[in-house]
Amino acid sequence: MTGVASAQARPPVHAPVHHAHEKVSALVYITAFAPDKGESVNTLISDPPPGAPVPPILPPNDGFLLLDRDKFAESFAGDLPADEARFMADSQLPWGVEALGGPVANPAWRSRPTFYLVATDDRMIPPPAQRMMAERAGATVTETAGSHSVYVSKPAEVAALVKKAATGVLA
């Protein structure tokens, strides 16, 4: 059996895939962090380039983080209708502070074909950072105009990349 794992950008409920089950034959990153060995999300966000947008992460509350609801649409869902972005802001789930600091031991992209969708209007993970992670992972890269919520605003582009990954590993 062949599988494709997808690390999607969404309110950080699920951590991106950094290890792969033996049946996973390809990885698809959708505007997501792709840390290398010894890196964590904290490592990757610790030194943003000048002028890069700063995600509106609120201070921790009981060990959990949320994005500022008032700034959510602009930073996370800028290409979605206002009511949909507001719903996403209101329904986001908190994620643990510790999730940001866990270093990756064995990045799956080192041993699996990797595909990466760069969202060129992302204000959570700057597109230059996405391109850098995709390049060092040796990923097949697709770019599309879209926010961090590109999986909602451009589902056809996301599905096409997943299909390309699945088709490539089955060929």
Side-chain angles (χ1 to χ4, degrees):
M1 174 170 269
T2 303
V4 176
S6 175
Q8 294 184 332
R10 55 176 82 180
V13 175
H14 302 107
V17 175
H18 299 302
H19 63 283
H21 187 277
E22 63 188 38
K23 292 185 179 181
V24 173
S25 54
L27 304 171
V28 179
Y29 288 88
I30 307 299
T31 185
F33 290 109
D36 201 352
K37 184 176 182 174
E39 289 181 334
S40 65
V41 172
N42 273 340
T43 305
L44 293 171
I45 65 174
S46 66
D47 189 22
V54 177
I57 301 170
L58 296 171
N61 183 2
D62 292 329
F64 291 94
L65 299 167
L66 285 169
L67 297 180
D68 184 324
R69 284 182 174 85
D70 294 333
K71 298 176 182 174
F72 188 95
E74 178 186 340
S75 62
F76 199 92
D79 57 348
L80 296 178
D83 60 333
E84 197 165 356
R86 190 171 28 262
F87 173 80
M88 289 175 72
D90 290 342
S91 61
Q92 66 179 309
L93 297 174
W95 73 100
V97 172
E98 292 145 9
L100 300 176
V104 171
N106 186 21
W109 52 259
R110 289 205 173 270
S111 61
R112 303 290 193 283
T114 302
F115 297 78
Y116 196 108
L117 180 77
V118 174
T120 60
D121 301 322
D122 193 333
R123 301 196 48 80
M124 293 293 294
I125 304 174
Q130 293 178 54
R131 290 183 190 104
M132 179 278 297
M133 290 182 284
E135 181 179 337
R136 74 176 179 186
T140 299
V141 178
T142 299
E143 294 201 15
T144 191
S147 72
H148 201 63
S149 296
V150 69
Y151 56 93
V152 176
S153 64
K154 302 273 181 89
E157 285 87 339
V158 172
L161 185 60
V162 172
K163 183 177 180 180
K164 182 177 182 179
T167 302
V169 299
L170 293 174

mmCIF file of all heavy atoms in Angstrom, residues 58-77:
data_model
loop_
_atom_site.group_PDB
_atom_site.id
_atom_site.type_symbol
_atom_site.label_atom_id
_atom_site.label_comp_id
_atom_site.label_asym_id
_atom_site.label_seq_id
_atom_site.Cartn_x
_atom_site.Cartn_y
_atom_site.Cartn_z
ATOM 1 N N LEU A 58 -1.027 35.170 20.733
ATOM 2 C CA LEU A 58 -1.255 35.766 22.048
ATOM 3 C C LEU A 58 -0.318 35.135 23.079
ATOM 4 O O LEU A 58 0.152 34.009 22.886
ATOM 5 C CB LEU A 58 -2.711 35.560 22.466
ATOM 6 C CG LEU A 58 -3.747 36.263 21.581
ATOM 7 C CD1 LEU A 58 -5.157 35.808 21.960
ATOM 8 C CD2 LEU A 58 -3.609 37.772 21.690
ATOM 9 N N PRO A 59 -0.051 35.834 24.177
ATOM 10 C CA PRO A 59 0.774 35.241 25.239
ATOM 11 C C PRO A 59 0.143 33.939 25.732
ATOM 12 O O PRO A 59 -1.083 33.782 25.710
ATOM 13 C CB PRO A 59 0.765 36.304 26.344
ATOM 14 C CG PRO A 59 0.433 37.578 25.647
ATOM 15 C CD PRO A 59 -0.462 37.203 24.490
ATOM 16 N N PRO A 60 0.972 33.011 26.190
ATOM 17 C CA PRO A 60 0.445 31.721 26.654
ATOM 18 C C PRO A 60 -0.569 31.883 27.782
ATOM 19 O O PRO A 60 -0.446 32.764 28.625
ATOM 20 C CB PRO A 60 1.679 30.986 27.172
ATOM 21 C CG PRO A 60 2.842 31.665 26.549
ATOM 22 C CD PRO A 60 2.426 33.088 26.311
ATOM 23 N N ASN A 61 -1.552 31.021 27.755
ATOM 24 C CA ASN A 61 -2.562 30.968 28.807
ATOM 25 C C ASN A 61 -2.646 29.507 29.251
ATOM 26 O O ASN A 61 -3.092 28.654 28.476
ATOM 27 C CB ASN A 61 -3.904 31.468 28.274
ATOM 28 C CG ASN A 61 -4.969 31.503 29.340
ATOM 29 O OD1 ASN A 61 -4.718 31.193 30.510
ATOM 30 N ND2 ASN A 61 -6.176 31.878 28.951
ATOM 31 N N ASP A 62 -2.180 29.226 30.456
ATOM 32 C CA ASP A 62 -2.167 27.859 30.995
ATOM 33 C C ASP A 62 -1.406 26.897 30.080
ATOM 34 O O ASP A 62 -1.789 25.738 29.922
ATOM 35 C CB ASP A 62 -3.584 27.345 31.236
ATOM 36 C CG ASP A 62 -4.299 28.078 32.356
ATOM 37 O OD1 ASP A 62 -3.617 28.522 33.304
ATOM 38 O OD2 ASP A 62 -5.538 28.215 32.279
ATOM 39 N N GLY A 63 -0.335 27.400 29.457
ATOM 40 C CA GLY A 63 0.500 26.550 28.612
ATOM 41 C C GLY A 63 0.007 26.381 27.186
ATOM 42 O O GLY A 63 0.546 25.576 26.434
ATOM 43 N N PHE A 64 -1.012 27.157 26.804
ATOM 44 C CA PHE A 64 -1.574 27.042 25.462
ATOM 45 C C PHE A 64 -1.562 28.392 24.749
ATOM 46 O O PHE A 64 -1.593 29.451 25.385
ATOM 47 C CB PHE A 64 -3.003 26.492 25.523
ATOM 48 C CG PHE A 64 -3.044 25.058 25.944
ATOM 49 C CD1 PHE A 64 -3.224 24.733 27.277
ATOM 50 C CD2 PHE A 64 -2.877 24.042 25.023
ATOM 51 C CE1 PHE A 64 -3.250 23.402 27.688
ATOM 52 C CE2 PHE A 64 -2.898 22.715 25.417
ATOM 53 C CZ PHE A 64 -3.082 22.393 26.744
ATOM 54 N N LEU A 65 -1.533 28.327 23.425
ATOM 55 C CA LEU A 65 -1.481 29.521 22.588
ATOM 56 C C LEU A 65 -2.693 29.584 21.663
ATOM 57 O O LEU A 65 -3.245 28.556 21.276
ATOM 58 C CB LEU A 65 -0.216 29.496 21.723
ATOM 59 C CG LEU A 65 1.108 29.468 22.466
ATOM 60 C CD1 LEU A 65 2.241 29.126 21.512
ATOM 61 C CD2 LEU A 65 1.357 30.799 23.150
ATOM 62 N N LEU A 66 -3.053 30.796 21.312
ATOM 63 C CA LEU A 66 -4.086 31.074 20.320
ATOM 64 C C LEU A 66 -3.625 32.261 19.488
ATOM 65 O O LEU A 66 -2.781 33.063 19.931
ATOM 66 C CB LEU A 66 -5.417 31.461 20.989
ATOM 67 C CG LEU A 66 -6.246 30.361 21.624
ATOM 68 C CD1 LEU A 66 -7.376 30.964 22.457
ATOM 69 C CD2 LEU A 66 -6.825 29.453 20.554
ATOM 70 N N LEU A 67 -4.218 32.406 18.312
ATOM 71 C CA LEU A 67 -3.997 33.616 17.529
ATOM 72 C C LEU A 67 -5.027 34.658 17.948
ATOM 73 O O LEU A 67 -6.176 34.321 18.264
ATOM 74 C CB LEU A 67 -4.151 33.320 16.034
ATOM 75 C CG LEU A 67 -3.156 32.326 15.447
ATOM 76 C CD1 LEU A 67 -3.436 32.128 13.966
ATOM 77 C CD2 LEU A 67 -1.730 32.793 15.658
ATOM 78 N N ASP A 68 -4.622 35.913 17.930
ATOM 79 C CA ASP A 68 -5.506 37.020 18.258
ATOM 80 C C ASP A 68 -6.681 37.010 17.274
ATOM 81 O O ASP A 68 -6.478 37.120 16.059
ATOM 82 C CB ASP A 68 -4.716 38.331 18.152
ATOM 83 C CG ASP A 68 -5.514 39.538 18.577
ATOM 84 O OD1 ASP A 68 -6.735 39.590 18.328
ATOM 85 O OD2 ASP A 68 -4.903 40.467 19.140
ATOM 86 N N ARG A 69 -7.889 36.871 17.785
ATOM 87 C CA ARG A 69 -9.076 36.801 16.916
ATOM 88 C C ARG A 69 -9.242 38.055 16.066
ATOM 89 O O ARG A 69 -9.692 37.978 14.931
ATOM 90 C CB ARG A 69 -10.325 36.562 17.760
ATOM 91 C CG ARG A 69 -10.448 35.143 18.233
ATOM 92 C CD ARG A 69 -11.744 34.926 19.037
ATOM 93 N NE ARG A 69 -11.913 33.528 19.369
ATOM 94 C CZ ARG A 69 -11.369 32.941 20.419
ATOM 95 N NH1 ARG A 69 -10.614 33.632 21.246
ATOM 96 N NH2 ARG A 69 -11.583 31.661 20.649
ATOM 97 N N ASP A 70 -8.896 39.223 16.623
ATOM 98 C CA ASP A 70 -9.073 40.478 15.881
ATOM 99 C C ASP A 70 -8.093 40.613 14.721
ATOM 100 O O ASP A 70 -8.337 41.363 13.792
ATOM 101 C CB ASP A 70 -8.917 41.677 16.821
ATOM 102 C CG ASP A 70 -10.022 41.742 17.860
ATOM 103 O OD1 ASP A 70 -11.139 41.221 17.581
ATOM 104 O OD2 ASP A 70 -9.782 42.289 18.950
ATOM 105 N N LYS A 71 -6.985 39.890 14.773
ATOM 106 C CA LYS A 71 -5.973 39.964 13.721
ATOM 107 C C LYS A 71 -5.909 38.684 12.885
ATOM 108 O O LYS A 71 -5.092 38.574 11.980
ATOM 109 C CB LYS A 71 -4.606 40.241 14.350
ATOM 110 C CG LYS A 71 -4.564 41.568 15.080
ATOM 111 C CD LYS A 71 -3.242 41.767 15.774
ATOM 112 C CE LYS A 71 -3.246 43.086 16.545
ATOM 113 N NZ LYS A 71 -2.035 43.229 17.347
ATOM 114 N N PHE A 72 -6.776 37.758 13.204
ATOM 115 C CA PHE A 72 -6.754 36.446 12.565
ATOM 116 C C PHE A 72 -6.941 36.535 11.052
ATOM 117 O O PHE A 72 -6.167 35.952 10.282
ATOM 118 C CB PHE A 72 -7.835 35.552 13.177
ATOM 119 C CG PHE A 72 -7.791 34.129 12.724
ATOM 120 C CD1 PHE A 72 -7.132 33.178 13.472
ATOM 121 C CD2 PHE A 72 -8.424 33.722 11.554
ATOM 122 C CE1 PHE A 72 -7.083 31.847 13.077
ATOM 123 C CE2 PHE A 72 -8.381 32.404 11.139
ATOM 124 C CZ PHE A 72 -7.706 31.467 11.902
ATOM 125 N N ALA A 73 -7.976 37.239 10.620
ATOM 126 C CA ALA A 73 -8.285 37.297 9.185
ATOM 127 C C ALA A 73 -7.105 37.848 8.397
ATOM 128 O O ALA A 73 -6.685 37.261 7.400
ATOM 129 C CB ALA A 73 -9.533 38.135 8.944
ATOM 130 N N GLU A 74 -6.549 38.947 8.838
ATOM 131 C CA GLU A 74 -5.440 39.575 8.113
ATOM 132 C C GLU A 74 -4.223 38.664 8.042
ATOM 133 O O GLU A 74 -3.560 38.572 7.012
ATOM 134 C CB GLU A 74 -5.054 40.893 8.795
ATOM 135 C CG GLU A 74 -3.882 41.578 8.144
ATOM 136 C CD GLU A 74 -3.433 42.804 8.923
ATOM 137 O OE1 GLU A 74 -4.214 43.342 9.725
ATOM 138 O OE2 GLU A 74 -2.281 43.211 8.716
ATOM 139 N N SER A 75 -3.925 37.970 9.121
ATOM 140 C CA SER A 75 -2.692 37.190 9.161
ATOM 141 C C SER A 75 -2.856 35.752 8.682
ATOM 142 O O SER A 75 -1.927 35.170 8.131
ATOM 143 C CB SER A 75 -2.123 37.180 10.579
ATOM 144 O OG SER A 75 -3.043 36.572 11.458
ATOM 145 N N PHE A 76 -4.006 35.168 8.868
ATOM 146 C CA PHE A 76 -4.181 33.741 8.620
ATOM 147 C C PHE A 76 -5.111 33.436 7.451
ATOM 148 O O PHE A 76 -4.946 32.413 6.780
ATOM 149 C CB PHE A 76 -4.734 33.069 9.884
ATOM 150 C CG PHE A 76 -4.549 31.583 9.924
ATOM 151 C CD1 PHE A 76 -3.423 31.033 10.513
ATOM 152 C CD2 PHE A 76 -5.488 30.723 9.375
ATOM 153 C CE1 PHE A 76 -3.232 29.653 10.555
ATOM 154 C CE2 PHE A 76 -5.309 29.347 9.413
ATOM 155 C CZ PHE A 76 -4.175 28.814 10.004
ATOM 156 N N ALA A 77 -6.081 34.299 7.205
ATOM 157 C CA ALA A 77 -7.125 33.986 6.234
ATOM 158 C C ALA A 77 -7.487 35.194 5.378
ATOM 159 O O ALA A 77 -8.658 35.457 5.119
ATOM 160 C CB ALA A 77 -8.354 33.450 6.970
#
